[in-house]
């Protein structure tokens, strides 16, 4: 697992999140589908919480901020976390508008102008500064240990994990266990948003190969239900429709929205009777 100590954050960005992404055929690009899922989630669900005090936590966010762009108008604070220092540094550089930071501007234009329909350049620039303002300095996390985020003691309202559980946990049992831990980190009525690779057993960054838990859609839903969540929406996209196939053996992506019930439901009493 210390494989991740050699994770090349900048290479990952260049390969997976090219700044030319939105010049390509959008129907074929998996990450444009991922971004659309996030857009639809915040547009559809934002009435279910109070924007002024909602806390969003991203687990294993890598060097990325794409999943936070559509969240920014609807939450008060965002905590980004990752296990690898260079990933956290990439996000910190972006937050600090460092000249060497990765250029996420095309992603902002896509979300704010194309998806939300706000065409002025001013609206795009405002979103960038809004996200910089509410995004805290990145924190370290480790999904293999508890607490997962040692420097985060308060419960949160939304947790998102994008390709960071199936790619870092060794087994399905660990995946199911982490769902329970994430359940406990949420406030009642809190949301867990999972973007996962389906049918994937490996992915590449340059020549480095990383393993992945082979997931079917029902594995994710069942793990969420076992942890106590209520499933709100499930979407998936088949990768056969995508032109990109060189970086992994993924067959598709899933976006799963699950919610912690308002009150922790009591475990039904189990009666063992011997006749
Ligand atoms: C496939 S990448 C996903 C990155 C990003 N979330 C995205 O959507 O592209 C997996 C991420 O998990 C992080 N990671 C590796 N080991 C981890 C661990 N033990 N706990 C949490 N995250 C870990 C890696 O640093 C990497 O950023």
């Amino acid at each position: 697992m210390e494989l991740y100590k050699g994770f090349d954050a900048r290479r990952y960005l260049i390969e997976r999140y090219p700044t030319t992404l939105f010049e390509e055929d959008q129907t074929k690009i998996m990450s444009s589908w991922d971004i659309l899922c996030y857009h639809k989630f915040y547009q559809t669900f934002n009435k279910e919480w109070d924007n002024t005090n909602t806390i969003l936590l991203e687990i294993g966010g890598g060097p990325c901020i794409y999943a936070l762009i559509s969240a920014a108008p609807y939450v008060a604070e965002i905590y980004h976390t990752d296990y690898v220092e260079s990933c956290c540094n990439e996000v910190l550089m972006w937050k600090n508008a460092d000249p060497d930071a990765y250029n996420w501007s095309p992603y902002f234009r896509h979300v704010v102008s194309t998806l939300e329909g706000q065409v002025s350049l001013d609206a795009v620039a405002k979103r960038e500064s809004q996200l910089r303002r509410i995004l805290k300095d990145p924190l370290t996390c480790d999904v293999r240990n508890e607490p997962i985020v040692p420097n985060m003691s308060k419960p949160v309202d939304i947790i998102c994990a994008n390709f960071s559980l199936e790619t870092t946990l060794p087994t399905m049992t660990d995946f199911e266990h982490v769902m329970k831990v994430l359940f406990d980190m949420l406030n009642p009525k809190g949301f867990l948003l999972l973007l996962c690779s389906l049918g994937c057993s490996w992915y590449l960054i340059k020549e480095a190969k990383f393993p992945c838990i082979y997931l079917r859609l029902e594995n994710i839903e069942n793990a969420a239900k076992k942890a106590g969540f209520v499933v709100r929406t499930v979407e998936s996209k088949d990768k056969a429709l995508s032109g990109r196939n060189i970086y992994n053996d993924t067959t598709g992506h899933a976006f799963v929205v699950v919610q912690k019930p308002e009150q922790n439901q009591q475990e039904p009493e189990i009666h063992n009777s011997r006749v």
Side-chain angles (χ1 to χ4, degrees):
M1 184 52 75
E2 290 317 311
L3 193 56
Y4 271 101
K5 289 291 175 197
F7 186 86
D8 186 338
R10 183 52 71 104
R11 186 81 214 172
Y12 181 76
L13 286 171
I14 292 166
E15 288 181 357
R16 293 310 151 74
Y17 301 102
T19 51
T20 55
L21 183 76
F22 301 107
E23 292 160 20
E24 299 177 39
D25 178 356
Q26 290 306 297
T27 59
K28 290 192 170 177
I29 312 280
M30 296 301 281
S31 42
S32 84
W33 182 82
D34 305 339
I35 289 163
L36 180 63
C37 289
Y38 270 103
H39 162 75
K40 287 197 295 188
F41 169 75
Y42 287 105
Q43 296 296 314
T44 311
F45 286 87
N46 75 77
K47 301 281 184 301
E48 297 197 22
W49 62 78
D50 175 1
N51 296 350
T52 61
N53 59 18
T54 292
I55 300 174
L56 166 62
L57 170 68
E58 176 157 10
I59 300 288
C64 309
I65 57 157
Y66 67 87
L68 310 176
I69 301 172
S70 47
Y74 302 110
V75 299
E77 293 175 13
I78 300 180
Y79 292 82
H80 173 283
T81 69
D82 200 81
Y83 177 69
V84 171
E85 198 183 343
S86 61
C87 288
C88 294
N89 286 342
E90 284 286 352
V91 172
L92 187 62
M93 278 199 288
W94 180 81
K95 177 182 158 56
N96 293 338
D98 187 301
D100 293 330
Y102 196 67
N103 175 21
W104 288 102
S105 293
Y107 289 75
F108 279 87
R109 285 197 293 277
H110 180 72
V111 172
V112 177
S113 300
T114 311
L115 299 180
E116 295 176 8
Q118 304 183 62
V119 288
S120 80
L121 286 179
D122 196 35
V124 177
K126 272 191 186 150
R127 181 66 54 84
E128 295 202 28
S129 37
Q130 182 179 33
L131 182 54
R132 286 198 168 96
R133 199 169 53 246
I134 60 177
L135 182 62
K136 307 293 173 193
D137 286 0
L139 300 172
T140 303
C141 74
D142 186 351
V143 293
R144 297 162 302 163
N145 277 313
E146 289 172 48
I148 290 178
V149 188
N151 292 326
M152 181 94 199
S153 49
K154 54 187 176 187
V156 300
D157 306 289
I158 305 172
I159 296 177
C160 68
N162 305 317
F163 314 111
S164 58
L165 303 186
E166 71 276 28
T167 56
T168 59
L169 294 166
T171 66
M172 195 60 214
T173 309
D174 298 302
F175 186 91
E176 289 181 355
H177 175 72
V178 167
M179 295 284 260
K180 292 196 177 98
V181 180
L182 297 177
F183 182 93
D184 290 339
M185 290 165 69
L186 282 165
N187 279 317
K189 296 180 80 179
F191 286 94
L192 172 64
L193 317 176
L194 292 171
L195 196 48
C196 296
S197 283
L198 297 174
C200 178
S201 53
W202 56 266
Y203 77 99
L204 290 177
I205 304 174
K206 220 172 167 186
E207 300 88 32
K209 198 168 190 175
F210 295 84
C212 186
I213 301 176
Y214 187 100
L215 285 179
R216 292 193 182 87
L217 203 49
E218 58 267 31
N219 299 135
I220 307 168
E221 282 183 70
N222 289 340
K225 285 182 196 159
K226 268 194 191 173
F229 287 106
V230 173
V231 177
R232 296 293 303 271
T233 62
V234 175
E235 292 184 67
S236 62
K237 181 176 165 80
D238 192 340
K239 201 185 169 186
L241 303 171
S242 161
R244 291 167 186 271
N245 268 310
I246 50 171
Y247 297 126
N248 51 59
D249 65 348
T250 298
T251 57
H253 284 184
F255 184 66
V256 177
V257 175
V258 297
Q259 187 173 27
K260 181 168 178 168
E262 185 150 22
Q263 293 295 328
N264 276 351
Q265 275 158 1
Q266 294 285 314
E267 287 281 318
E269 237 180 288
I270 299 172
H271 297 280
N272 287 324
S273 59
R274 279 198 186 157
V275 187

